[in-house]
Amino acid sequence: MDNPFGKITTLERVLELFHDRMTLMFGGFGGVGSPPALIDGILEKGVCELTLIGNDTGFPDIGIGKLVSRERAVKVIASHIGSNPIAGQLMHDGKLEVEFSPQGILAERIRAGGVGLAAVLSDIGMDNELVSKEKPRVQLGGKDYLIETALTAEVSIVYAKKADEYGNLIYDKSARNTNPLVAMAGEITIAEVEEIVPLGSLNPEEIITPGVFVDYLIPSKGVNWKWAWE
């Protein structure tokens, strides 16, 4: 496989980008669409005190839940943590700060970060303390809104079905979920990919994430766990 853009690399080399107390954004929904090799690599490197941004906290041993359950995160920004009871216990014990954001608003905050907006306005959750706590408000057209700040990260990690040498990405069905948005919002974006094909092999109509958003590609060995619902 040619590597004309220098984006195809190894897990060992991209792990140099991860460090303690960094902000990490991840794709996936309950583990589906989360990059298993990258998550395991971060875990094995011993990176800790992470701020994690993504849809949820996975399951205890699936997806980003592996990092959460082993207390590698100090803060999570997510729409829910219910599928990972360890995350709930850590929050209860004061060991994990959790910022809840309604799922659609969370996605929009990530999208805003990816396109360079500072914030979006929303009237969702204005009467819910968990959602509205400490968020500024603004009035527009006689109506009150919360100011929801955009979300970005030092590194974003995503999982894709196929990529070409430039980093154009195609996702597999529901594994697409939050990955396209997350790929846009990282200062550096790393895609773990099932198959890397030569430039020109992908149908342009099927490409979801343009390669301009992707900095590195690493080959995946596939999902290394059994899904919780099997």
PDB file of all heavy atoms in Angstrom, residues 190-226:
ATOM      1  N   ILE A 190      -7.451  10.707  14.564  1.00  0.00           N
ATOM      2  CA  ILE A 190      -6.879   9.404  14.230  1.00  0.00           C
ATOM      3  C   ILE A 190      -8.024   8.451  13.921  1.00  0.00           C
ATOM      4  O   ILE A 190      -8.943   8.292  14.731  1.00  0.00           O
ATOM      5  CB  ILE A 190      -6.039   8.843  15.395  1.00  0.00           C
ATOM      6  CG1 ILE A 190      -4.968   9.842  15.817  1.00  0.00           C
ATOM      7  CG2 ILE A 190      -5.409   7.508  14.994  1.00  0.00           C
ATOM      8  CD1 ILE A 190      -4.296   9.486  17.139  1.00  0.00           C
ATOM      9  N   ALA A 191      -7.968   7.821  12.761  1.00  0.00           N
ATOM     10  CA  ALA A 191      -8.993   6.849  12.384  1.00  0.00           C
ATOM     11  C   ALA A 191      -8.415   5.447  12.404  1.00  0.00           C
ATOM     12  O   ALA A 191      -7.399   5.177  11.747  1.00  0.00           O
ATOM     13  CB  ALA A 191      -9.539   7.174  10.998  1.00  0.00           C
ATOM     14  N   GLU A 192      -9.050   4.585  13.168  1.00  0.00           N
ATOM     15  CA  GLU A 192      -8.749   3.158  13.119  1.00  0.00           C
ATOM     16  C   GLU A 192      -9.673   2.557  12.059  1.00  0.00           C
ATOM     17  O   GLU A 192     -10.882   2.745  12.112  1.00  0.00           O
ATOM     18  CB  GLU A 192      -8.989   2.518  14.481  1.00  0.00           C
ATOM     19  CG  GLU A 192      -8.692   1.031  14.512  1.00  0.00           C
ATOM     20  CD  GLU A 192      -8.890   0.416  15.889  1.00  0.00           C
ATOM     21  OE1 GLU A 192      -8.810   1.144  16.900  1.00  0.00           O
ATOM     22  OE2 GLU A 192      -9.136  -0.805  15.954  1.00  0.00           O
ATOM     23  N   VAL A 193      -9.088   1.836  11.106  1.00  0.00           N
ATOM     24  CA  VAL A 193      -9.834   1.452   9.911  1.00  0.00           C
ATOM     25  C   VAL A 193      -9.695  -0.044   9.634  1.00  0.00           C
ATOM     26  O   VAL A 193      -8.605  -0.608   9.736  1.00  0.00           O
ATOM     27  CB  VAL A 193      -9.330   2.255   8.688  1.00  0.00           C
ATOM     28  CG1 VAL A 193     -10.182   1.956   7.475  1.00  0.00           C
ATOM     29  CG2 VAL A 193      -9.340   3.749   8.976  1.00  0.00           C
ATOM     30  N   GLU A 194     -10.812  -0.648   9.267  1.00  0.00           N
ATOM     31  CA  GLU A 194     -10.810  -2.075   8.949  1.00  0.00           C
ATOM     32  C   GLU A 194     -10.068  -2.370   7.653  1.00  0.00           C
ATOM     33  O   GLU A 194      -9.402  -3.392   7.528  1.00  0.00           O
ATOM     34  CB  GLU A 194     -12.241  -2.599   8.856  1.00  0.00           C
ATOM     35  CG  GLU A 194     -12.988  -2.612  10.186  1.00  0.00           C
ATOM     36  CD  GLU A 194     -14.375  -3.182  10.046  1.00  0.00           C
ATOM     37  OE1 GLU A 194     -14.554  -4.162   9.290  1.00  0.00           O
ATOM     38  OE2 GLU A 194     -15.300  -2.650  10.681  1.00  0.00           O
ATOM     39  N   GLU A 195     -10.195  -1.473   6.661  1.00  0.00           N
ATOM     40  CA  GLU A 195      -9.553  -1.710   5.362  1.00  0.00           C
ATOM     41  C   GLU A 195      -9.083  -0.386   4.774  1.00  0.00           C
ATOM     42  O   GLU A 195      -9.854   0.574   4.715  1.00  0.00           O
ATOM     43  CB  GLU A 195     -10.538  -2.380   4.403  1.00  0.00           C
ATOM     44  CG  GLU A 195      -9.955  -2.705   3.046  1.00  0.00           C
ATOM     45  CD  GLU A 195     -10.957  -3.337   2.094  1.00  0.00           C
ATOM     46  OE1 GLU A 195     -12.127  -3.484   2.475  1.00  0.00           O
ATOM     47  OE2 GLU A 195     -10.554  -3.679   0.967  1.00  0.00           O
ATOM     48  N   ILE A 196      -7.834  -0.337   4.335  1.00  0.00           N
ATOM     49  CA  ILE A 196      -7.294   0.845   3.668  1.00  0.00           C
ATOM     50  C   ILE A 196      -7.080   0.496   2.199  1.00  0.00           C
ATOM     51  O   ILE A 196      -6.400  -0.488   1.879  1.00  0.00           O
ATOM     52  CB  ILE A 196      -5.977   1.305   4.324  1.00  0.00           C
ATOM     53  CG1 ILE A 196      -6.202   1.613   5.808  1.00  0.00           C
ATOM     54  CG2 ILE A 196      -5.426   2.538   3.607  1.00  0.00           C
ATOM     55  CD1 ILE A 196      -4.932   1.957   6.574  1.00  0.00           C
ATOM     56  N   VAL A 197      -7.662   1.292   1.318  1.00  0.00           N
ATOM     57  CA  VAL A 197      -7.642   0.992  -0.111  1.00  0.00           C
ATOM     58  C   VAL A 197      -6.917   2.105  -0.867  1.00  0.00           C
ATOM     59  O   VAL A 197      -6.736   3.215  -0.348  1.00  0.00           O
ATOM     60  CB  VAL A 197      -9.081   0.829  -0.651  1.00  0.00           C
ATOM     61  CG1 VAL A 197      -9.785  -0.327   0.052  1.00  0.00           C
ATOM     62  CG2 VAL A 197      -9.882   2.120  -0.492  1.00  0.00           C
ATOM     63  N   PRO A 198      -6.484   1.829  -2.093  1.00  0.00           N
ATOM     64  CA  PRO A 198      -5.775   2.860  -2.870  1.00  0.00           C
ATOM     65  C   PRO A 198      -6.665   4.062  -3.173  1.00  0.00           C
ATOM     66  O   PRO A 198      -7.890   3.956  -3.251  1.00  0.00           O
ATOM     67  CB  PRO A 198      -5.397   2.124  -4.162  1.00  0.00           C
ATOM     68  CG  PRO A 198      -5.397   0.674  -3.793  1.00  0.00           C
ATOM     69  CD  PRO A 198      -6.481   0.522  -2.777  1.00  0.00           C
ATOM     70  N   LEU A 199      -6.024   5.204  -3.354  1.00  0.00           N
ATOM     71  CA  LEU A 199      -6.731   6.429  -3.711  1.00  0.00           C
ATOM     72  C   LEU A 199      -7.510   6.214  -5.005  1.00  0.00           C
ATOM     73  O   LEU A 199      -6.987   5.641  -5.967  1.00  0.00           O
ATOM     74  CB  LEU A 199      -5.719   7.558  -3.879  1.00  0.00           C
ATOM     75  CG  LEU A 199      -6.261   8.988  -3.858  1.00  0.00           C
ATOM     76  CD1 LEU A 199      -6.825   9.318  -2.488  1.00  0.00           C
ATOM     77  CD2 LEU A 199      -5.144   9.972  -4.212  1.00  0.00           C
ATOM     78  N   GLY A 200      -8.770   6.642  -5.018  1.00  0.00           N
ATOM     79  CA  GLY A 200      -9.610   6.459  -6.187  1.00  0.00           C
ATOM     80  C   GLY A 200     -10.478   5.221  -6.126  1.00  0.00           C
ATOM     81  O   GLY A 200     -11.339   5.025  -6.994  1.00  0.00           O
ATOM     82  N   SER A 201     -10.276   4.376  -5.111  1.00  0.00           N
ATOM     83  CA  SER A 201     -11.053   3.134  -4.999  1.00  0.00           C
ATOM     84  C   SER A 201     -12.436   3.350  -4.400  1.00  0.00           C
ATOM     85  O   SER A 201     -13.337   2.529  -4.597  1.00  0.00           O
ATOM     86  CB  SER A 201     -10.295   2.119  -4.133  1.00  0.00           C
ATOM     87  OG  SER A 201      -9.045   1.805  -4.701  1.00  0.00           O
ATOM     88  N   LEU A 202     -12.617   4.424  -3.651  1.00  0.00           N
ATOM     89  CA  LEU A 202     -13.895   4.669  -2.993  1.00  0.00           C
ATOM     90  C   LEU A 202     -14.837   5.437  -3.913  1.00  0.00           C
ATOM     91  O   LEU A 202     -14.421   6.358  -4.620  1.00  0.00           O
ATOM     92  CB  LEU A 202     -13.682   5.464  -1.696  1.00  0.00           C
ATOM     93  CG  LEU A 202     -12.790   4.834  -0.630  1.00  0.00           C
ATOM     94  CD1 LEU A 202     -12.696   5.763   0.581  1.00  0.00           C
ATOM     95  CD2 LEU A 202     -13.302   3.467  -0.214  1.00  0.00           C
ATOM     96  N   ASN A 203     -16.103   5.062  -3.841  1.00  0.00           N
ATOM     97  CA  ASN A 203     -17.128   5.810  -4.557  1.00  0.00           C
ATOM     98  C   ASN A 203     -17.307   7.151  -3.846  1.00  0.00           C
ATOM     99  O   ASN A 203     -17.653   7.181  -2.663  1.00  0.00           O
ATOM    100  CB  ASN A 203     -18.436   5.021  -4.549  1.00  0.00           C
ATOM    101  CG  ASN A 203     -19.561   5.740  -5.278  1.00  0.00           C
ATOM    102  OD1 ASN A 203     -19.468   6.919  -5.606  1.00  0.00           O
ATOM    103  ND2 ASN A 203     -20.644   5.020  -5.519  1.00  0.00           N
ATOM    104  N   PRO A 204     -17.081   8.274  -4.521  1.00  0.00           N
ATOM    105  CA  PRO A 204     -17.204   9.574  -3.856  1.00  0.00           C
ATOM    106  C   PRO A 204     -18.550   9.788  -3.183  1.00  0.00           C
ATOM    107  O   PRO A 204     -18.631  10.504  -2.181  1.00  0.00           O
ATOM    108  CB  PRO A 204     -16.994  10.575  -5.003  1.00  0.00           C
ATOM    109  CG  PRO A 204     -16.199   9.830  -6.018  1.00  0.00           C
ATOM    110  CD  PRO A 204     -16.676   8.407  -5.929  1.00  0.00           C
ATOM    111  N   GLU A 205     -19.609   9.176  -3.726  1.00  0.00           N
ATOM    112  CA  GLU A 205     -20.936   9.341  -3.148  1.00  0.00           C
ATOM    113  C   GLU A 205     -21.083   8.624  -1.807  1.00  0.00           C
ATOM    114  O   GLU A 205     -22.012   8.897  -1.046  1.00  0.00           O
ATOM    115  CB  GLU A 205     -22.002   8.823  -4.119  1.00  0.00           C
ATOM    116  CG  GLU A 205     -22.075   9.576  -5.438  1.00  0.00           C
ATOM    117  CD  GLU A 205     -22.443  11.041  -5.241  1.00  0.00           C
ATOM    118  OE1 GLU A 205     -23.214  11.336  -4.310  1.00  0.00           O
ATOM    119  OE2 GLU A 205     -21.959  11.888  -6.015  1.00  0.00           O
ATOM    120  N   GLU A 206     -20.179   7.699  -1.503  1.00  0.00           N
ATOM    121  CA  GLU A 206     -20.260   6.936  -0.264  1.00  0.00           C
ATOM    122  C   GLU A 206     -19.379   7.507   0.841  1.00  0.00           C
ATOM    123  O   GLU A 206     -19.496   7.110   2.002  1.00  0.00           O
ATOM    124  CB  GLU A 206     -19.869   5.475  -0.523  1.00  0.00           C
ATOM    125  CG  GLU A 206     -20.830   4.741  -1.461  1.00  0.00           C
ATOM    126  CD  GLU A 206     -20.403   3.312  -1.702  1.00  0.00           C
ATOM    127  OE1 GLU A 206     -19.229   2.984  -1.409  1.00  0.00           O
ATOM    128  OE2 GLU A 206     -21.226   2.527  -2.194  1.00  0.00           O
ATOM    129  N   ILE A 207     -18.488   8.414   0.494  1.00  0.00           N
ATOM    130  CA  ILE A 207     -17.571   8.979   1.489  1.00  0.00           C
ATOM    131  C   ILE A 207     -18.348   9.874   2.457  1.00  0.00           C
ATOM    132  O   ILE A 207     -19.099  10.751   2.046  1.00  0.00           O
ATOM    133  CB  ILE A 207     -16.447   9.770   0.807  1.00  0.00           C
ATOM    134  CG1 ILE A 207     -15.539   8.816   0.024  1.00  0.00           C
ATOM    135  CG2 ILE A 207     -15.627  10.547   1.839  1.00  0.00           C
ATOM    136  CD1 ILE A 207     -14.546   9.523  -0.888  1.00  0.00           C
ATOM    137  N   ILE A 208     -18.172   9.636   3.748  1.00  0.00           N
ATOM    138  CA  ILE A 208     -18.862  10.415   4.776  1.00  0.00           C
ATOM    139  C   ILE A 208     -17.939  11.467   5.377  1.00  0.00           C
ATOM    140  O   ILE A 208     -18.307  12.632   5.514  1.00  0.00           O
ATOM    141  CB  ILE A 208     -19.405   9.498   5.888  1.00  0.00           C
ATOM    142  CG1 ILE A 208     -20.329   8.424   5.301  1.00  0.00           C
ATOM    143  CG2 ILE A 208     -20.138  10.322   6.954  1.00  0.00           C
ATOM    144  CD1 ILE A 208     -21.534   8.962   4.560  1.00  0.00           C
ATOM    145  N   THR A 209     -16.743  11.071   5.754  1.00  0.00           N
ATOM    146  CA  THR A 209     -15.767  12.016   6.309  1.00  0.00           C
ATOM    147  C   THR A 209     -14.684  12.300   5.284  1.00  0.00           C
ATOM    148  O   THR A 209     -13.949  11.393   4.889  1.00  0.00           O
ATOM    149  CB  THR A 209     -15.120  11.451   7.591  1.00  0.00           C
ATOM    150  OG1 THR A 209     -16.105  11.320   8.611  1.00  0.00           O
ATOM    151  CG2 THR A 209     -14.011  12.371   8.093  1.00  0.00           C
ATOM    152  N   PRO A 210     -14.558  13.548   4.833  1.00  0.00           N
ATOM    153  CA  PRO A 210     -13.473  13.889   3.899  1.00  0.00           C
ATOM    154  C   PRO A 210     -12.109  13.753   4.583  1.00  0.00           C
ATOM    155  O   PRO A 210     -11.962  14.052   5.775  1.00  0.00           O
ATOM    156  CB  PRO A 210     -13.763  15.346   3.535  1.00  0.00           C
ATOM    157  CG  PRO A 210     -15.200  15.574   3.900  1.00  0.00           C
ATOM    158  CD  PRO A 210     -15.454  14.689   5.073  1.00  0.00           C
ATOM    159  N   GLY A 211     -11.143  13.325   3.826  1.00  0.00           N
ATOM    160  CA  GLY A 211      -9.816  13.096   4.380  1.00  0.00           C
ATOM    161  C   GLY A 211      -9.131  14.332   4.932  1.00  0.00           C
ATOM    162  O   GLY A 211      -8.170  14.217   5.693  1.00  0.00           O
ATOM    163  N   VAL A 212      -9.625  15.514   4.574  1.00  0.00           N
ATOM    164  CA  VAL A 212      -9.020  16.736   5.106  1.00  0.00           C
ATOM    165  C   VAL A 212      -9.125  16.789   6.626  1.00  0.00           C
ATOM    166  O   VAL A 212      -8.317  17.462   7.288  1.00  0.00           O
ATOM    167  CB  VAL A 212      -9.684  17.977   4.462  1.00  0.00           C
ATOM    168  CG1 VAL A 212     -11.129  18.129   4.907  1.00  0.00           C
ATOM    169  CG2 VAL A 212      -8.874  19.240   4.746  1.00  0.00           C
ATOM    170  N   PHE A 213     -10.084  16.079   7.209  1.00  0.00           N
ATOM    171  CA  PHE A 213     -10.244  16.089   8.658  1.00  0.00           C
ATOM    172  C   PHE A 213      -9.384  15.032   9.354  1.00  0.00           C
ATOM    173  O   PHE A 213      -9.309  15.023  10.584  1.00  0.00           O
ATOM    174  CB  PHE A 213     -11.707  15.829   9.034  1.00  0.00           C
ATOM    175  CG  PHE A 213     -12.637  16.961   8.684  1.00  0.00           C
ATOM    176  CD1 PHE A 213     -13.605  16.806   7.708  1.00  0.00           C
ATOM    177  CD2 PHE A 213     -12.547  18.181   9.333  1.00  0.00           C
ATOM    178  CE1 PHE A 213     -14.463  17.846   7.381  1.00  0.00           C
ATOM    179  CE2 PHE A 213     -13.396  19.230   9.012  1.00  0.00           C
ATOM    180  CZ  PHE A 213     -14.358  19.056   8.029  1.00  0.00           C
ATOM    181  N   VAL A 214      -8.789  14.131   8.600  1.00  0.00           N
ATOM    182  CA  VAL A 214      -8.101  12.969   9.187  1.00  0.00           C
ATOM    183  C   VAL A 214      -6.587  13.135   9.072  1.00  0.00           C
ATOM    184  O   VAL A 214      -6.051  13.347   7.987  1.00  0.00           O
ATOM    185  CB  VAL A 214      -8.549  11.668   8.490  1.00  0.00           C
ATOM    186  CG1 VAL A 214      -7.815  10.462   9.065  1.00  0.00           C
ATOM    187  CG2 VAL A 214     -10.069  11.490   8.629  1.00  0.00           C
ATOM    188  N   ASP A 215      -5.916  13.015  10.201  1.00  0.00           N
ATOM    189  CA  ASP A 215      -4.464  13.185  10.229  1.00  0.00           C
ATOM    190  C   ASP A 215      -3.710  11.872  10.126  1.00  0.00           C
ATOM    191  O   ASP A 215      -2.645  11.808   9.505  1.00  0.00           O
ATOM    192  CB  ASP A 215      -4.055  13.901  11.521  1.00  0.00           C
ATOM    193  CG  ASP A 215      -4.635  15.294  11.617  1.00  0.00           C
ATOM    194  OD1 ASP A 215      -4.113  16.187  10.938  1.00  0.00           O
ATOM    195  OD2 ASP A 215      -5.637  15.478  12.343  1.00  0.00           O
ATOM    196  N   TYR A 216      -4.250  10.824  10.780  1.00  0.00           N
ATOM    197  CA  TYR A 216      -3.560   9.533  10.790  1.00  0.00           C
ATOM    198  C   TYR A 216      -4.552   8.394  10.603  1.00  0.00           C
ATOM    199  O   TYR A 216      -5.692   8.461  11.057  1.00  0.00           O
ATOM    200  CB  TYR A 216      -2.809   9.336  12.110  1.00  0.00           C
ATOM    201  CG  TYR A 216      -1.720  10.357  12.348  1.00  0.00           C
ATOM    202  CD1 TYR A 216      -1.906  11.388  13.264  1.00  0.00           C
ATOM    203  CD2 TYR A 216      -0.506  10.296  11.664  1.00  0.00           C
ATOM    204  CE1 TYR A 216      -0.919  12.343  13.483  1.00  0.00           C
ATOM    205  CE2 TYR A 216       0.484  11.250  11.870  1.00  0.00           C
ATOM    206  CZ  TYR A 216       0.276  12.265  12.789  1.00  0.00           C
ATOM    207  OH  TYR A 216       1.247  13.193  12.996  1.00  0.00           O
ATOM    208  N   LEU A 217      -4.064   7.336   9.954  1.00  0.00           N
ATOM    209  CA  LEU A 217      -4.824   6.109   9.761  1.00  0.00           C
ATOM    210  C   LEU A 217      -4.035   4.946  10.333  1.00  0.00           C
ATOM    211  O   LEU A 217      -2.834   4.825  10.085  1.00  0.00           O
ATOM    212  CB  LEU A 217      -5.053   5.840   8.273  1.00  0.00           C
ATOM    213  CG  LEU A 217      -5.819   6.892   7.462  1.00  0.00           C
ATOM    214  CD1 LEU A 217      -5.624   6.615   5.965  1.00  0.00           C
ATOM    215  CD2 LEU A 217      -7.291   6.869   7.829  1.00  0.00           C
ATOM    216  N   ILE A 218      -4.709   4.105  11.106  1.00  0.00           N
ATOM    217  CA  ILE A 218      -4.055   2.878  11.556  1.00  0.00           C
ATOM    218  C   ILE A 218      -4.944   1.687  11.211  1.00  0.00           C
ATOM    219  O   ILE A 218      -6.172   1.758  11.334  1.00  0.00           O
ATOM    220  CB  ILE A 218      -3.737   2.892  13.072  1.00  0.00           C
ATOM    221  CG1 ILE A 218      -5.023   2.878  13.906  1.00  0.00           C
ATOM    222  CG2 ILE A 218      -2.863   4.078  13.440  1.00  0.00           C
ATOM    223  CD1 ILE A 218      -4.777   2.474  15.343  1.00  0.00           C
ATOM    224  N   PRO A 219      -4.349   0.582  10.759  1.00  0.00           N
ATOM    225  CA  PRO A 219      -5.138  -0.614  10.452  1.00  0.00           C
ATOM    226  C   PRO A 219      -5.701  -1.218  11.734  1.00  0.00           C
ATOM    227  O   PRO A 219      -5.045  -1.236  12.778  1.00  0.00           O
ATOM    228  CB  PRO A 219      -4.123  -1.553   9.807  1.00  0.00           C
ATOM    229  CG  PRO A 219      -2.955  -0.688   9.435  1.00  0.00           C
ATOM    230  CD  PRO A 219      -2.923   0.417  10.434  1.00  0.00           C
ATOM    231  N   SER A 220      -6.926  -1.706  11.652  1.00  0.00           N
ATOM    232  CA  SER A 220      -7.563  -2.340  12.801  1.00  0.00           C
ATOM    233  C   SER A 220      -7.523  -3.857  12.657  1.00  0.00           C
ATOM    234  O   SER A 220      -7.533  -4.390  11.544  1.00  0.00           O
ATOM    235  CB  SER A 220      -9.020  -1.884  12.907  1.00  0.00           C
ATOM    236  OG  SER A 220      -9.660  -2.517  14.006  1.00  0.00           O
ATOM    237  N   LYS A 221      -7.480  -4.540  13.786  1.00  0.00           N
ATOM    238  CA  LYS A 221      -7.590  -5.999  13.794  1.00  0.00           C
ATOM    239  C   LYS A 221      -9.029  -6.424  14.080  1.00  0.00           C
ATOM    240  O   LYS A 221      -9.307  -7.605  14.252  1.00  0.00           O
ATOM    241  CB  LYS A 221      -6.645  -6.591  14.840  1.00  0.00           C
ATOM    242  CG  LYS A 221      -5.173  -6.324  14.539  1.00  0.00           C
ATOM    243  CD  LYS A 221      -4.274  -6.928  15.598  1.00  0.00           C
ATOM    244  CE  LYS A 221      -2.807  -6.643  15.276  1.00  0.00           C
ATOM    245  NZ  LYS A 221      -1.893  -7.203  16.315  1.00  0.00           N
ATOM    246  N   GLY A 222      -9.920  -5.438  14.138  1.00  0.00           N
ATOM    247  CA  GLY A 222     -11.329  -5.738  14.363  1.00  0.00           C
ATOM    248  C   GLY A 222     -11.718  -5.657  15.829  1.00  0.00           C
ATOM    249  O   GLY A 222     -10.878  -5.471  16.712  1.00  0.00           O
ATOM    250  N   VAL A 223     -12.997  -5.792  16.072  1.00  0.00           N
ATOM    251  CA  VAL A 223     -13.534  -5.733  17.429  1.00  0.00           C
ATOM    252  C   VAL A 223     -13.005  -6.914  18.231  1.00  0.00           C
ATOM    253  O   VAL A 223     -13.037  -8.055  17.769  1.00  0.00           O
ATOM    254  CB  VAL A 223     -15.073  -5.744  17.398  1.00  0.00           C
ATOM    255  CG1 VAL A 223     -15.642  -5.842  18.802  1.00  0.00           C
ATOM    256  CG2 VAL A 223     -15.591  -4.494  16.697  1.00  0.00           C
ATOM    257  N   ASN A 224     -12.529  -6.643  19.420  1.00  0.00           N
ATOM    258  CA  ASN A 224     -11.900  -7.677  20.239  1.00  0.00           C
ATOM    259  C   ASN A 224     -12.702  -8.011  21.490  1.00  0.00           C
ATOM    260  O   ASN A 224     -12.149  -8.335  22.535  1.00  0.00           O
ATOM    261  CB  ASN A 224     -10.482  -7.250  20.632  1.00  0.00           C
ATOM    262  CG  ASN A 224     -10.456  -5.909  21.335  1.00  0.00           C
ATOM    263  OD1 ASN A 224     -11.504  -5.275  21.539  1.00  0.00           O
ATOM    264  ND2 ASN A 224      -9.276  -5.453  21.731  1.00  0.00           N
ATOM    265  N   TRP A 225     -14.017  -7.885  21.385  1.00  0.00           N
ATOM    266  CA  TRP A 225     -14.879  -8.258  22.497  1.00  0.00           C
ATOM    267  C   TRP A 225     -16.195  -8.783  21.947  1.00  0.00           C
ATOM    268  O   TRP A 225     -16.488  -8.623  20.758  1.00  0.00           O
ATOM    269  CB  TRP A 225     -15.146  -7.045  23.422  1.00  0.00           C
ATOM    270  CG  TRP A 225     -15.770  -5.865  22.718  1.00  0.00           C
ATOM    271  CD1 TRP A 225     -17.033  -5.779  22.235  1.00  0.00           C
ATOM    272  CD2 TRP A 225     -15.131  -4.637  22.398  1.00  0.00           C
ATOM    273  NE1 TRP A 225     -17.247  -4.561  21.643  1.00  0.00           N
ATOM    274  CE2 TRP A 225     -16.091  -3.833  21.733  1.00  0.00           C
ATOM    275  CE3 TRP A 225     -13.868  -4.114  22.644  1.00  0.00           C
ATOM    276  CZ2 TRP A 225     -15.802  -2.556  21.291  1.00  0.00           C
ATOM    277  CZ3 TRP A 225     -13.596  -2.834  22.196  1.00  0.00           C
ATOM    278  CH2 TRP A 225     -14.547  -2.067  21.534  1.00  0.00           C
ATOM    279  N   LYS A 226     -16.998  -9.369  22.807  1.00  0.00           N
ATOM    280  CA  LYS A 226     -18.327  -9.817  22.441  1.00  0.00           C
ATOM    281  C   LYS A 226     -19.321  -8.758  22.878  1.00  0.00           C
ATOM    282  O   LYS A 226     -19.262  -8.261  23.992  1.00  0.00           O
ATOM    283  CB  LYS A 226     -18.663 -11.160  23.118  1.00  0.00           C
ATOM    284  CG  LYS A 226     -20.005 -11.733  22.702  1.00  0.00           C
ATOM    285  CD  LYS A 226     -20.209 -13.092  23.342  1.00  0.00           C
ATOM    286  CE  LYS A 226     -21.559 -13.681  22.919  1.00  0.00           C
ATOM    287  NZ  LYS A 226     -21.789 -15.007  23.524  1.00  0.00           N
TER     288      LYS A 226
END
